[in-house]
Amino acid sequence: MSIDLTKPRYDQGTYMGRAKHFLLLTNPLNAFASTEQLDEAKRVVTEFKRGGKMPAGYDLDKLWAAKYLYDSAYHPDTGEKMFVLGRMAAQAPMNTIITGCMITFYKTTAATVFWQWVNQTFNALVNYTNRGGDAPMSMTHLLGSYCAACGGALSTALYLNSKVKNMSPIYARLVPFAAVCGANFINIPMMRSGELMSGTPVFTPDGKRVGESKVAARYGISLVIVSRVLMALPGMTVTPIITNIATQRGLFCRYPKGVIPFQLFLVGLCVTFATPLCCALFDQRATLNVTSLDPELRDFMKKNYPKVTHVVFNKGL
């Protein structure tokens, strides 16, 4: 049986195949892997790619487990080990805590500002860590993007909070989600502005790098924004609605603080499944028709690769 570790184990042309792929890639347990385990996974994957021989003590399932552990921790374009809190595997545990706090502590301006800042700082880290391409970003550019991303998100949250003060409590509970949606349209492009300005690497279907495309960067980032908004939807809307119903029915009358673990449980359940299922909405290796590329790159492709109809690139996560 032929094994190609340069591609995912499951068919990325179908939603079910992508869902299986991302369920393994974003498994929260991957975030707790030790340095030794990650080094071993890297060694096994590298050796197999180089020689094509099954490492001693490994079978098919164990080899793929090492491959998914490796992919969860190392950037697909740069090959660098990603900061642990920025990996998609850390999304479920981190977002459970942060989202739970945002929809629990939303009644005061100070609490709203603090938790939106924490959330946007975490999002900025995730967005930068999972960017497409391999172009480095200067510290000045990175800090500027971070400040713009957080500033935009906090302004959105405070504005929405001021509009729902006299409305039903359920609307106030949904403010964090609305703020997160608005912030995603600011945070993701800002933290990946390097791609928007310089382009993201694009390749022929057989893997030859042909240049950098700003059009591909815009397209990839737009897909990521859609999946991130939908990723936040269950935990930040279903949880407040269920909590509001439970509160109205007096579930927390005797134990008011019981609402906190109740919400954390619901958020954790939603985020654990929403993360891989929403990542799976689009193939990570996105495709773009040659006719849609930047003019210079389009002319280059027509001249040097006349038979190639589309390019592929890493859209990021």
Side-chain angles (χ1 to χ4, degrees), residues 15-233:
Y15 177 76
M16 285 305 297
R18 294 193 297 272
K20 290 178 181 178
H21 168 69
F22 282 109
L23 278 166
L24 292 174
L25 192 68
T26 65
N27 183 347
L29 295 178
N30 291 340
F32 298 98
S34 66
T35 300
E36 291 74 19
Q37 289 173 310
L38 294 178
D39 289 343
E40 171 66 8
K42 182 178 182 179
R43 181 191 68 79
V44 167
V45 170
T46 303
E47 286 185 4
F48 186 86
K49 285 181 177 178
R50 188 183 299 127
K53 294 182 179 180
M54 186 69 73
Y58 280 77
D59 57 17
L60 183 63
D61 289 335
K62 195 173 178 181
L63 177 64
W64 276 111
K67 162 66 172 169
Y68 273 101
L69 180 59
Y70 169 81
D71 284 349
S72 75
Y74 292 87
H75 194 278
D77 290 330
T78 66
E80 296 175 351
K81 185 185 289 186
M82 298 181 286
F83 180 58
V84 63
L85 295 183
R87 301 172 196 166
M88 292 306 290
Q91 280 278 298
M94 290 300 296
N95 270 332
T96 296
I97 297 169
I98 295 172
T99 303
C101 289
M102 280 199 297
I103 62 178
T104 300
F105 308 111
Y106 62 90
K107 294 182 179 179
T108 67
T109 300
T112 298
V113 169
F114 177 75
W115 286 109
Q116 282 291 341
W117 170 74
V118 171
N119 183 54
Q120 291 312 316
T121 298
F122 174 66
N123 284 344
L125 173 63
V126 172
N127 294 334
Y128 177 73
T129 302
N130 294 281
R131 67 197 183 281
D134 51 10
M137 218 171 157
S138 70
M139 186 56 66
T140 302
H141 188 176
L142 188 60
L143 287 174
S145 298
Y146 166 73
C147 291
C150 285
L154 291 175
S155 299
T156 304
L158 292 175
Y159 172 77
L160 291 172
N161 253 8
S162 69
K163 295 298 179 182
V164 299
K165 284 183 178 178
N166 299 317
M167 296 184 185
S168 169
I170 187 60
Y171 291 110
R173 287 183 183 275
L174 292 173
V175 163
F177 172 66
V180 166
C181 286
N184 273 323
F185 285 90
I186 301 170
N187 197 317
I188 296 173
M190 289 306 303
M191 294 309 297
R192 295 178 59 178
S193 56
E195 294 169 63
L196 294 173
M197 292 188 294
S198 304
T200 194
V202 294
F203 305 81
T204 61
D206 60 357
K208 293 179 182 176
R209 184 167 178 165
V210 294
E212 287 72 39
S213 169
K214 295 178 184 178
V215 173
R218 290 196 296 270
Y219 177 56
I221 288 172
S222 68
L223 296 181
V224 171
I225 290 172
V226 171
S227 63
R228 289 291 190 83
V229 168
L230 294 176
M231 201 182 292
L233 183 64

